[in-house]
Amino acid sequence: MTDFTQKSKTAKIIVEGSVPENEEKIPAPWNWAGKDNWCWGIASSPIRNKLHLEYLKNKGLIPVITPFLAHPETRKRFYEDNNRDIPKTEESLKGYFDVFGNDFVWEGFTEEDSSGVGFSRNFLKNPPHSHAEALKLFENLLKEGLAEVQKYAPDIHKWGRCGYASSAHIYAKLGLETVLLERTNDDIEDIQTGVAFTRGAGKQYNCSWGIDFSLWWGVFYGCVQDLSTSFHQRNWMVSYFSGADYLAIEGGDLLCYPDGRLSRLGKDFEQFSRWIQKIPRGNPVVPVAVILPSDHGWITPPYWETQQSAWNYARLRRNPGERGIDGFFATIFPGSNFTMDPFPFGNYEDNDPPASPFALSCITPRYAPLPQNVFYSKAYIPFGKFKNRKEANTFLRENNIDLSPYRPMGVSRWGDIFDVFTEEVGIEVLKPYKVVVILGPLILQDELKQKLIEYIRGGGTVVCAAGVIRPDDHDWIGVQMIPELHTGYRWKWQKRDWNNEAFRFIPANVDSDSGVIAWANQNAPLIVHTRLGKGNLYISLAPWFETGSGPLMGAVVNLLDTLFENLVPFMISGPPCEWLFTEDNEYQKIVIVNNADFLWEGSIKYKNTHFVRKEVFELVQENQYLLNEDGKIEISIPPFTTRVFQFVKR
């Protein structure tokens, strides 16, 4: 069996195509994708004939990926909802085995967590009562689906595609070869959080990972293939330089018309795909690991929701500490919670059709297992630009509107330098990271505690909070917590001035060999630093890092500023932007993404004078710069575009 998991200097491109109408007709998208080897593979619905599969094999488009739903219940729902006969597994896969042997991919888990016919519907009908129960139910369903795959095709490549970032680790734990995450859909989360979770899941469970770009935009009530592609291009660039092994695009039929003409998005996706073949990206520099409880069920909270919940459609009440997860990701990726946005044009007078027939913002009767599951979220503001979505559709098409102002993307406070893991992560996975941050209501069982102690003693830095750390941890943390809550109204960082902020904290006595670096009122310890071996432990006595008036407790943000600003060898100055950093033996690359509607003007400054007077090459526009005597270049980036600056290391 061919090894599809080999890492390469670039990403493998996948285009989703349609099933031929008959054996004689090959759809135009497959002809297009088969030209000049720019596309690696094709994703296709289950089929019952072989002619087009033989065509794909002759074109070198291997593997072929079939998103044939593995779980019988999910499959039954899908075909019944579409008024089609439910296909038998043997018939659907026979052509693949005949043409490819074992060298094809069965994507047996396609958006089980977000599709209206997937497991999310089980959550609606029989909601779990706890996070642990939700995890168990979801894991059991995936295992049942995996058993179906093993029954019929034990030796082929097994993939999965999830809709929410919180599912990535659960998919990867199954032993799947590759986990894809759907993005660029207005019903799901942002690219930055998605990458952090999915890349972390790939490292934790040693599998490949990729991003699946959806063309669905419910606000438009259709797809966006003929309008400006700047939103999708920025998502492609971020995913590529973040290290995705696969870049897949849904709706290949919408990229290439039946007569062979390419849509605007099709042209730009092909151009991008060819460009990255010439641009080795290097390895993403990711010095910070984030650890969450295995059953966290967390998603980026949409800004329009009035009450946040866990485990998406299960809508569980959240546990103490989960607001701190919100605060952390809102701080590292400001604006990321605006991405899931069905209401950029405000309120519609007529909400028919809805933004989506099945999403966090809307569940129509067709997808509601029970009448009480029908749900339509309210617009964030009570007025709007259009009477209905058809008017919006017409306006956008006739005026050739750039969608970017209506498709928000987050920016970076410290860069996209984070990988997310669950508490089951191994110590060998953690060792390469400079800093580990523990979030949410995670219980430090002995196994995880020993991992952290080993990691710190080896030279790592751990940041955690009261709640995770408890009074009986006194023997290794250097702090004796008093189990009661006090109220703080101000805090002070080292010898600086007092900052006014309301928060709760745990009073504590600090051992003589530990130090206090932030104080609450009456000089009560607030953040404590303890040395363990070669490493450092920082404890926030504000439980879960939370505050009463903001996304994250101010003293904690100050601590993270101090720890994170020295993790990369340069500084970026200017308005808010998104940025990431890669390197290999020859080059360092700094990718800056301007997600705003104004010209970004700022600078990159290298801290090491070794880089002074060195040439810098910008790879998108192919411009040259020269670092001045201060190790700085001044740059400008147009609205909604990306630039890639390459520095020679030697």
Side-chain angles (χ1 to χ4, degrees):
M1 185 168 68
T2 304
D3 183 5
F4 294 150
T5 64
Q6 291 179 336
K7 300 288 182 179
S8 66
K9 293 182 179 180
T10 188
K12 297 180 176 71
I13 300 297
I14 299 168
V15 173
E16 181 185 90
S18 65
V19 176
E21 296 176 4
N22 54 60
E23 293 204 7
E24 288 72 39
K25 184 177 181 181
I26 301 298
W30 291 8
N31 278 313
W32 164 59
K35 291 179 181 178
D36 305 328
N37 297 317
W38 68 271
C39 179
W40 177 74
I42 286 288
S44 171
S45 301
I47 52 87
R48 295 181 177 83
N49 58 63
K50 297 189 299 184
L51 184 66
H52 54 294
L53 295 181
E54 291 169 348
Y55 170 86
L56 293 176
K57 183 176 182 180
N58 292 334
K59 284 287 187 180
L61 288 167
I62 300 174
V64 170
I65 301 123
T66 177
F68 182 59
L69 298 168
H71 199 283
E73 183 180 354
T74 304
R75 190 188 317 152
K76 179 175 181 289
R77 287 176 185 163
F78 176 81
Y79 285 94
E80 285 182 347
D81 279 0
N82 288 277
N83 297 314
R84 294 161 60 186
D85 293 335
I86 302 170
K88 294 182 179 179
T89 302
E90 301 95 321
E91 293 178 2
S92 297
L93 298 182
K94 185 178 186 304
Y96 292 94
F97 281 115
D98 289 346
V99 175
F100 300 111
N102 288 329
D103 280 341
F104 70 95
V105 173
W106 186 349
E107 185 191 294
F109 310 95
T110 301
E111 301 169 21
E112 279 282 1
D113 60 339
S114 57
S115 168
V117 299
F119 184 65
S120 50
R121 194 163 173 176
N122 290 31
F123 276 160
L124 289 169
K125 188 174 183 180
N126 297 297
H129 297 95
S130 68
H131 289 53
E133 185 180 337
L135 175 62
K136 184 177 180 180
L137 289 170
F138 191 38
E139 285 184 331
N140 285 346
L141 175 120
L142 295 179
K143 289 175 182 176
E144 290 168 1
L146 185 62
E148 188 82 355
V149 177
Q150 298 285 54
K151 177 180 176 182
Y152 291 102
D155 298 323
I156 66 167
H157 303 275
K158 304 171 185 66
W159 288 20
R161 187 193 331 167
C162 49
Y164 297 116
S166 58
S167 301
H169 295 84
I170 305 171
Y171 269 51
K173 187 179 178 180
L174 275 181
L176 300 178
E177 184 179 296
T178 296
V179 175
L180 301 177
L181 178 70
E182 185 184 24
R183 297 289 90 162
T184 61
N185 182 323
D186 59 314
D187 295 323
I188 47 184
E189 303 147 292
D190 59 290
I191 188 65
Q192 293 169 291
T193 304
V195 164
F197 275 72
T198 313
R199 184 171 57 198
K203 292 179 181 179
Q204 181 168 334
Y205 292 104
N206 194 30
C207 67
S208 299
W209 68 281
I211 300 295
D212 164 55
F213 304 104
S214 170
L215 302 189
W216 175 258
W217 193 40
V219 174
F220 190 116
Y221 220 76
C223 292
V224 295
Q225 66 272 17
D226 287 316
L227 299 177
S228 169
T229 64
S230 59
F231 171 71
H232 284 88
Q233 287 200 48
R234 282 174 285 138
N235 277 273
W236 300 338
M237 293 286 272
V238 170
S239 302
Y240 176 65
F241 285 102
S242 294
D245 299 302
Y246 299 94
L247 302 178
I249 192 159
E250 290 186 34
D253 301 339
L254 298 165
L255 303 181
C256 183
Y257 300 110
D259 62 4
R261 290 180 301 112
L262 292 180
S263 67
R264 186 171 178 180
L265 194 61
K267 291 176 184 177
D268 288 345
F269 185 64
E270 180 182 348
Q271 182 180 11
F272 164 78
S273 302
R274 293 183 185 280
W275 182 78
I276 65 174
Q277 309 305 316
K278 303 180 295 183
I279 307 294
R281 59 190 169 189
N283 302 308
V285 177
V286 189
V288 182
V290 177
I291 300 180
L292 296 174
S294 296
D295 63 355
H296 61 87
W298 182 86
I299 64 171
T300 306
Y303 77 96
W304 43 265
E305 274 280 24
T306 56
Q307 182 175 349
Q308 307 304 336
S309 56
W311 280 98
N312 47 64
Y313 300 95
R315 295 197 172 96
L316 290 172
R317 293 189 66 174
R318 302 205 304 175
N319 288 321
E322 292 180 9
R323 192 164 58 86
I325 305 177
D326 293 349
F328 180 81
F329 285 100
T331 301
I332 67 174
F333 301 140
S336 57
N337 60 320
F338 299 153
T339 298
M340 192 191 305
D341 188 5
F343 306 113
F345 300 121
N347 186 46
Y348 289 103
E349 185 179 323
D350 177 8
N351 196 41
D352 186 21
S356 176
F358 186 91
L360 288 182
S361 62
C362 181
I363 300 171
T364 59
R366 177 184 178 187
Y367 293 102
L370 304 171
Q372 58 265 36
N373 296 143
V374 175
F375 173 73
Y376 300 90
S377 60
K378 292 184 177 181
Y380 185 65
I381 52 176
F383 47 84
K385 186 178 180 69
F386 300 105
K387 180 179 179 181
N388 54 43
R389 289 181 175 82
K390 291 180 181 178
E391 280 191 7
N393 186 316
T394 300
F395 170 79
L396 293 167
R397 283 192 179 278
E398 290 183 351
N399 295 280
N400 194 26
I401 298 296
D402 184 353
L403 300 180
S404 291
Y406 310 108
R407 305 299 308 270
M409 293 179 67
V411 294
S412 308
R413 184 182 180 99
W414 298 292
D416 294 7
I417 58 171
F418 304 89
D419 280 337
V420 176
F421 302 102
T422 68
E423 63 195 275
E424 298 170 338
V425 63
I427 182 64
E428 294 305 317
V429 175
L430 290 180
K431 281 182 178 178
Y433 292 88
K434 302 294 186 183
V435 181
V436 170
V437 180
I438 303 175
L439 294 178
L442 190 152
I443 298 175
L444 281 185
Q445 305 287 4
D446 286 343
E447 182 179 356
L448 178 58
K449 185 184 302 185
Q450 293 309 312
K451 288 179 194 175
L452 294 175
I453 292 173
E454 180 181 346
Y455 166 79
I456 297 170
R457 290 190 181 282
T461 294
V462 168
V463 182
C464 54
V468 171
I469 296 295
R470 303 184 179 196
D472 56 7
D473 289 311
H474 172 243
D475 60 332
W476 66 284
I477 65 172
V479 177
Q480 178 62 64
M481 293 191 293
I482 301 168
E484 59 189 43
L485 277 169
H486 287 201
T487 301
Y489 294 101
R490 62 178 188 169
W491 59 269
K492 180 170 66 174
W493 181 264
Q494 296 180 340
K495 296 182 179 180
R496 302 177 192 171
D497 294 335
W498 287 99
N499 296 270
N500 297 328
E501 181 179 1
F503 55 92
R504 303 305 295 272
F505 71 97
I506 307 292
N509 297 312
V510 178
D511 292 356
S512 59
D513 52 355
S514 296
V516 179
I517 59 174
W519 289 263
N521 33 269
Q522 297 298 322
N523 288 323
L526 183 59
I527 295 180
V528 179
H529 171 226
T530 299
R531 291 281 299 178
L532 285 176
K534 299 178 182 178
N536 302 280
L537 172 65
Y538 293 91
I539 299 172
S540 162
L541 292 168
W544 321 115
F545 306 130
E546 293 177 1
T547 182
S549 57
L552 209 63
M553 204 268 150
V556 174
V557 175
N558 213 69
L559 171 64
L560 298 180
D561 276 335
T562 303
L563 296 177
F564 294 164
E565 66 183 9
N566 294 316
L567 296 179
V568 294
F570 55 85
M571 296 182 295
I572 294 177
S573 300
C577 66
E578 179 183 359
W579 62 266
L580 50 137
F581 177 46
T582 74
E583 66 177 344
D584 53 28
N585 292 332
E586 289 188 79
Y587 302 110
Q588 292 180 333
K589 294 183 178 69
I590 300 173
V591 182
I592 301 181
V593 188
N594 182 11
N595 291 322
D597 60 355
F598 54 80
L599 180 70
W600 190 91
E601 295 180 293
S603 66
I604 301 172
K605 180 179 180 180
Y606 260 81
K607 302 170 186 175
N608 190 337
T609 55
H610 172 71
F611 280 90
V612 170
R613 310 300 297 175
K614 283 202 171 186
E615 289 186 346
V616 180
F617 194 70
E618 199 287 306
L619 299 174
V620 177
Q621 293 293 305
E622 299 185 344
N623 294 326
Q624 282 189 318
Y625 297 79
L626 187 67
L627 286 168
N628 64 22
E629 294 179 353
D630 295 326
K632 178 190 289 189
I633 56 171
E634 303 287 345
I635 54 180
S636 61
I637 303 175
F640 308 127
T641 57
T642 305
R643 294 292 182 262
V644 182
F645 299 92
Q646 179 171 274
F647 299 75
V648 179
K649 291 176 70 174
R650 60 180 182 274

